[in-house]
Short mmCIF file of all heavy atoms in Angstrom, two decimals:
data_model
loop_
_atom_site.label_atom_id
_atom_site.label_comp_id
_atom_site.label_asym_id
_atom_site.label_seq_id
_atom_site.Cartn_x
_atom_site.Cartn_y
_atom_site.Cartn_z
N ASP A 41 51.36 -14.80 132.66
CA ASP A 41 52.36 -14.67 131.48
C ASP A 41 53.80 -14.50 132.18
O ASP A 41 54.75 -14.26 131.43
CB ASP A 41 52.10 -13.31 130.77
CG ASP A 41 50.88 -13.42 129.95
OD1 ASP A 41 50.50 -14.48 129.57
OD2 ASP A 41 50.31 -12.32 129.56
N TYR A 42 53.85 -15.11 133.21
CA TYR A 42 55.35 -15.15 133.85
C TYR A 42 55.57 -16.58 134.39
O TYR A 42 54.59 -17.36 134.73
CB TYR A 42 55.39 -14.16 135.12
CG TYR A 42 55.39 -12.84 134.68
CD1 TYR A 42 54.14 -12.13 134.70
CD2 TYR A 42 56.50 -12.20 134.19
CE1 TYR A 42 54.11 -10.73 134.22
CE2 TYR A 42 56.53 -10.80 133.77
CZ TYR A 42 55.28 -10.21 133.87
OH TYR A 42 55.31 -8.84 133.38
N PRO A 43 56.82 -17.07 134.37
CA PRO A 43 57.15 -18.50 134.75
C PRO A 43 57.16 -18.66 136.32
O PRO A 43 58.16 -18.82 136.92
CB PRO A 43 58.47 -18.62 134.11
CG PRO A 43 59.12 -17.29 134.24
CD PRO A 43 57.91 -16.35 133.92
N ILE A 44 55.90 -18.69 137.00
CA ILE A 44 55.85 -18.73 138.39
C ILE A 44 56.05 -20.14 138.97
O ILE A 44 56.37 -20.22 140.03
CB ILE A 44 54.60 -18.16 138.85
CG1 ILE A 44 53.45 -18.89 138.52
CG2 ILE A 44 54.51 -16.63 138.53
CD1 ILE A 44 52.17 -18.43 139.27
N ALA A 45 55.94 -21.14 138.15
CA ALA A 45 56.12 -22.49 138.64
C ALA A 45 57.57 -22.64 138.95
O ALA A 45 58.55 -22.15 138.37
CB ALA A 45 55.78 -23.56 137.55
N TYR A 48 60.49 -21.84 145.74
CA TYR A 48 60.69 -20.62 146.28
C TYR A 48 61.43 -20.78 147.67
O TYR A 48 60.89 -21.71 148.35
CB TYR A 48 59.42 -19.82 146.44
CG TYR A 48 58.81 -19.47 145.18
CD1 TYR A 48 58.11 -20.27 144.38
CD2 TYR A 48 58.88 -18.07 144.77
CE1 TYR A 48 57.57 -19.93 143.13
CE2 TYR A 48 58.33 -17.68 143.57
CZ TYR A 48 57.64 -18.67 142.76
OH TYR A 48 56.96 -18.33 141.60
N ASP A 97 58.07 -0.84 139.78
CA ASP A 97 58.77 -1.88 139.17
C ASP A 97 58.25 -3.21 139.60
O ASP A 97 59.06 -4.20 139.65
CB ASP A 97 60.24 -1.73 139.46
CG ASP A 97 61.18 -2.85 139.06
OD1 ASP A 97 60.88 -3.20 138.00
OD2 ASP A 97 62.12 -3.32 139.76
N SER A 128 54.49 -11.35 144.79
CA SER A 128 54.95 -10.17 144.02
C SER A 128 56.04 -10.48 143.01
O SER A 128 56.89 -11.42 143.24
CB SER A 128 55.42 -9.10 144.99
OG SER A 128 56.56 -9.63 145.73
N ILE A 129 55.96 -9.89 141.82
CA ILE A 129 56.89 -9.97 140.80
C ILE A 129 57.76 -8.56 140.68
O ILE A 129 57.14 -7.61 140.59
CB ILE A 129 56.21 -10.28 139.48
CG1 ILE A 129 55.53 -11.62 139.63
CG2 ILE A 129 57.32 -10.39 138.35
CD1 ILE A 129 54.73 -11.90 138.38
N HIS A 130 58.97 -8.64 140.74
CA HIS A 130 59.91 -7.48 140.65
C HIS A 130 60.60 -7.62 139.46
O HIS A 130 61.51 -8.42 139.22
CB HIS A 130 60.76 -7.40 141.82
CG HIS A 130 59.91 -7.30 143.20
ND1 HIS A 130 59.58 -6.23 143.75
CD2 HIS A 130 59.38 -8.27 143.84
CE1 HIS A 130 58.89 -6.46 144.83
NE2 HIS A 130 58.81 -7.76 144.96
N PHE A 131 60.28 -6.61 138.46
CA PHE A 131 60.64 -6.86 136.99
C PHE A 131 62.09 -6.45 136.73
O PHE A 131 62.78 -7.10 136.14
CB PHE A 131 59.80 -5.84 136.13
CG PHE A 131 58.30 -6.15 136.32
CD1 PHE A 131 57.40 -5.20 136.84
CD2 PHE A 131 57.79 -7.49 136.01
CE1 PHE A 131 56.06 -5.36 137.02
CE2 PHE A 131 56.40 -7.63 136.20
CZ PHE A 131 55.58 -6.68 136.79
N ASN A 132 62.67 -5.45 137.41
CA ASN A 132 64.15 -5.02 137.28
C ASN A 132 65.01 -6.15 137.78
O ASN A 132 66.01 -6.37 137.20
CB ASN A 132 64.42 -3.58 137.85
CG ASN A 132 63.91 -2.53 136.86
OD1 ASN A 132 63.72 -2.74 135.78
ND2 ASN A 132 63.68 -1.35 137.49
N THR A 133 64.76 -6.64 139.01
CA THR A 133 65.61 -7.59 139.60
C THR A 133 65.37 -9.07 139.14
O THR A 133 66.08 -10.01 139.46
CB THR A 133 65.49 -7.59 141.14
OG1 THR A 133 64.02 -7.88 141.54
CG2 THR A 133 65.95 -6.17 141.59
N LYS A 134 64.15 -9.27 138.40
CA LYS A 134 63.81 -10.48 137.90
C LYS A 134 63.61 -11.55 139.08
O LYS A 134 64.04 -12.70 138.98
CB LYS A 134 64.72 -11.10 136.89
CG LYS A 134 64.96 -10.20 135.71
CD LYS A 134 63.76 -10.28 134.69
CE LYS A 134 64.07 -9.54 133.45
NZ LYS A 134 63.20 -8.70 132.95
N LYS A 135 62.84 -11.19 140.13
CA LYS A 135 62.60 -11.95 141.19
C LYS A 135 61.14 -12.08 141.43
O LYS A 135 60.42 -11.02 141.26
CB LYS A 135 63.35 -11.57 142.49
CG LYS A 135 64.90 -11.67 142.42
CD LYS A 135 65.58 -11.21 143.64
CE LYS A 135 67.00 -11.27 143.40
NZ LYS A 135 67.50 -12.58 143.52
N MET A 136 60.77 -13.06 142.01
CA MET A 136 59.28 -13.29 142.50
C MET A 136 59.31 -13.76 143.98
O MET A 136 60.20 -14.53 144.30
CB MET A 136 58.59 -14.45 141.67
CG MET A 136 58.52 -14.17 140.21
SD MET A 136 57.71 -15.58 139.28
CE MET A 136 58.05 -15.20 137.69
N TYR A 137 58.36 -13.14 144.66
CA TYR A 137 58.38 -13.45 146.23
C TYR A 137 57.04 -13.92 146.59
O TYR A 137 56.00 -13.52 146.10
CB TYR A 137 58.60 -12.13 146.92
CG TYR A 137 59.90 -11.62 146.82
CD1 TYR A 137 60.32 -10.74 145.89
CD2 TYR A 137 61.01 -12.04 147.83
CE1 TYR A 137 61.72 -10.28 145.73
CE2 TYR A 137 62.22 -11.42 147.69
CZ TYR A 137 62.59 -10.68 146.77
OH TYR A 137 63.88 -10.11 146.63
N VAL A 143 61.77 -16.51 147.82
CA VAL A 143 62.04 -15.93 146.54
C VAL A 143 62.46 -16.99 145.41
O VAL A 143 62.92 -17.93 145.77
CB VAL A 143 63.17 -14.80 146.66
CG1 VAL A 143 64.48 -15.54 147.06
CG2 VAL A 143 63.33 -13.97 145.50
N LYS A 144 62.13 -16.50 144.07
CA LYS A 144 62.70 -17.42 143.03
C LYS A 144 63.07 -16.34 141.97
O LYS A 144 62.41 -15.37 141.59
CB LYS A 144 61.58 -18.23 142.49
CG LYS A 144 61.84 -18.89 141.17
CD LYS A 144 60.69 -19.74 140.89
CE LYS A 144 60.06 -19.52 139.51
NZ LYS A 144 60.38 -19.55 138.26
N ASP A 145 64.28 -16.62 141.39
CA ASP A 145 64.65 -15.81 140.10
C ASP A 145 63.88 -16.23 138.86
O ASP A 145 63.52 -17.38 138.91
CB ASP A 145 66.14 -15.99 139.86
CG ASP A 145 66.96 -15.30 141.12
OD1 ASP A 145 66.43 -14.38 141.70
OD2 ASP A 145 67.99 -15.73 141.24
N TYR A 146 63.62 -15.37 137.99
CA TYR A 146 63.13 -15.80 136.68
C TYR A 146 63.79 -15.24 135.47
O TYR A 146 64.49 -14.25 135.67
CB TYR A 146 61.58 -15.63 136.68
CG TYR A 146 61.20 -14.08 136.52
CD1 TYR A 146 60.81 -13.67 135.26
CD2 TYR A 146 61.10 -13.32 137.60
CE1 TYR A 146 60.57 -12.33 135.04
CE2 TYR A 146 60.72 -11.94 137.35
CZ TYR A 146 60.46 -11.43 136.18
OH TYR A 146 60.12 -10.13 135.95
N VAL A 147 63.65 -15.74 134.31
CA VAL A 147 64.12 -15.22 133.13
C VAL A 147 62.79 -14.98 132.15
O VAL A 147 61.94 -15.83 132.19
CB VAL A 147 64.97 -16.24 132.34
CG1 VAL A 147 65.49 -15.66 131.08
CG2 VAL A 147 66.13 -16.42 133.33
N ASP A 148 62.81 -13.81 131.58
CA ASP A 148 61.70 -13.53 130.58
C ASP A 148 61.67 -14.47 129.39
O ASP A 148 62.62 -14.96 128.93
CB ASP A 148 61.76 -12.02 130.16
CG ASP A 148 61.25 -11.04 131.08
OD1 ASP A 148 60.40 -11.37 131.81
OD2 ASP A 148 61.81 -9.92 130.95
#
Side-chain angles (χ1 to χ4, degrees):
D41 291 334
Y42 292 94
I44 66 172
Y48 295 77
D97 176 37
S128 61
I129 301 175
H130 301 264
F131 306 116
N132 282 340
T133 59
K134 303 286 189 221
K135 293 184 183 284
M136 298 179 191
Y137 290 88
V143 63
K144 171 183 128 52
D145 294 332
Y146 75 95
V147 178
D148 281 330

